[in-house]
């Protein structure tokens, strides 16, 4: 099994790159943001709760998020591997993910981080907001999301560096150039 984490701030291009990778390597793409938005669309109990949190730019509680992820993974017993996009976002999530994979003798092969400076992130997200219809792609919520990223998610870089599976790449450039760099990392694993 080949499991990859595509890591980065909101607007760094994780979704775009995960889609390409999933196609190229036949891996199952899990975007936890997409999973939550689907639940919001269906107005499930969980969806309603998630909607409020997401529109404030905050994070869904770890326990809930870990349960959701477990369910998505167990619905894909035939997967050759997973691309995690938007998960983990906190240390407890990172620990839970490793534990879940280890239970089945699996692990994360690489954490690939896309680095983009904050000005560019804000510009990209504002632009996306013009077409995405997402309640969280407005300036106020974007700024909150970036703060949450800095405080809660960025510390995972140190965690994964310590584990020895962290790879950082420049997230500014053409989609093709960036995906080429990601492929080079995967093929060298
Ligand atoms: P994304 O599409 O990845 O930008 O996620 C959109 C929003 O969904 C985030 O701002 C969070 O509110 C929520 N979310 C997505 N993934 C997670 C996660 N792993 N942990 C907590 N909240 C999450």
């Amino acid at each position: 099994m080949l499991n990859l984490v595509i890591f980065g701030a909101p607007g760094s291009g994780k979704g775009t790159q995960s889609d390409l990778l999933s196609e190229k390597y036949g891996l199952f793409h899990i975007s936890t943001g997409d999973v939550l938005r689907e639940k919001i669309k269906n107005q499930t109990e969980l969806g309603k709760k998630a909607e409020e949190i997401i529109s404030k730019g905050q994070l869904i509680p770890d326990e809930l998020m870990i349960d959701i992820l477990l369910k998505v993974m167990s619905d894909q017993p035939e997967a050759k591997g997973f691309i995690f996009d938007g998960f983990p976002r906190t240390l407890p999530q990172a620990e839970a993910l490793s534990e879940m994979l280890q239970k089945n003798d699996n692990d994360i092969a690489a954490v690939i981080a896309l680095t983009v400076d904050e000005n560019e992130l804000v510009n990209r997200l504002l632009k996306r907001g013009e077409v995405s219809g997402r309640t969280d792609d407005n300036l106020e919520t974007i700024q909150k999301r970036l703060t949450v990223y800095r405080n809660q998610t960025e510390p995972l870089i140190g965690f994964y560096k310590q584990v020895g599976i962290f790879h950082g790449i420049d997230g500014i450039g053409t989609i093709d150039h960036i995906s080429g760099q990601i492929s080079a990392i995967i093929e060298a694993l």
Side-chain angles (χ1 to χ4, degrees):
M1 225 189 181
L2 177 66
N3 297 304
L4 305 168
V5 171
I6 302 299
F7 189 88
S12 58
K14 299 189 296 295
T16 305
Q17 292 299 333
S18 297
D19 279 340
L20 292 172
L21 282 177
S22 122
E23 179 112 341
K24 183 164 178 186
Y25 295 100
L27 306 174
F28 189 85
H29 175 194
I30 303 180
S31 153
T32 44
D34 283 350
V35 172
L36 293 167
R37 282 184 289 275
E38 188 60 27
K39 293 185 190 298
I40 293 174
K41 207 170 88 193
N42 297 329
Q43 284 291 295
T44 60
E45 270 317 299
L46 190 73
K48 289 181 197 163
K49 201 168 153 189
E51 189 167 25
E52 219 186 294
I53 299 174
I54 291 177
S55 62
K56 288 190 199 141
Q58 293 165 350
L59 295 184
I60 306 301
D62 285 333
E63 259 180 55
L64 194 57
M65 208 58 238
I66 291 163
D67 276 354
I68 294 172
L69 186 82
L70 243 174
K71 170 81 169 67
V72 176
M73 288 171 73
S74 59
D75 283 347
Q76 303 299 329
E78 305 294 320
K80 280 175 30 187
F82 293 101
I83 298 172
F84 298 98
D85 157 14
F87 190 102
R89 267 176 151 97
T90 64
L91 201 54
Q93 289 184 14
E95 284 163 349
L97 179 60
S98 294
E99 238 170 70
M100 272 185 247
L101 292 171
Q102 275 160 15
K103 261 189 201 147
N104 298 308
D105 279 332
N106 289 314
D107 59 7
I108 302 167
V111 174
I112 302 171
L114 305 173
T115 308
V116 176
D117 66 75
E118 286 215 2
N119 277 340
E120 171 73 9
L121 292 171
V122 173
N123 287 337
R124 285 186 188 181
L125 291 167
L126 283 175
K127 210 161 159 196
R128 185 173 79 185
E130 291 169 13
V131 289
S132 70
R134 280 178 56 162
T135 55
D136 56 350
D137 282 342
N138 60 76
L139 189 57
E140 193 190 341
T141 315
I142 289 168
Q143 274 160 351
K144 278 195 201 142
R145 288 158 68 201
L146 292 177
T147 305
V148 167
Y149 172 76
R150 242 181 279 122
N151 293 340
Q152 303 198 53
T153 309
E154 213 166 47
L156 293 184
I157 294 176
F159 173 81
Y160 283 123
K161 276 187 178 165
Q162 219 163 23
V163 181
I165 56 173
F166 183 85
H167 304 260
I169 58 178
D170 186 353
I172 296 189
T174 64
I175 291 174
D176 277 356
H177 180 67
I178 295 167
S179 87
Q181 285 176 276
I182 298 178
S183 295
I185 293 170
I186 294 172
E187 272 142 42
L189 287 172

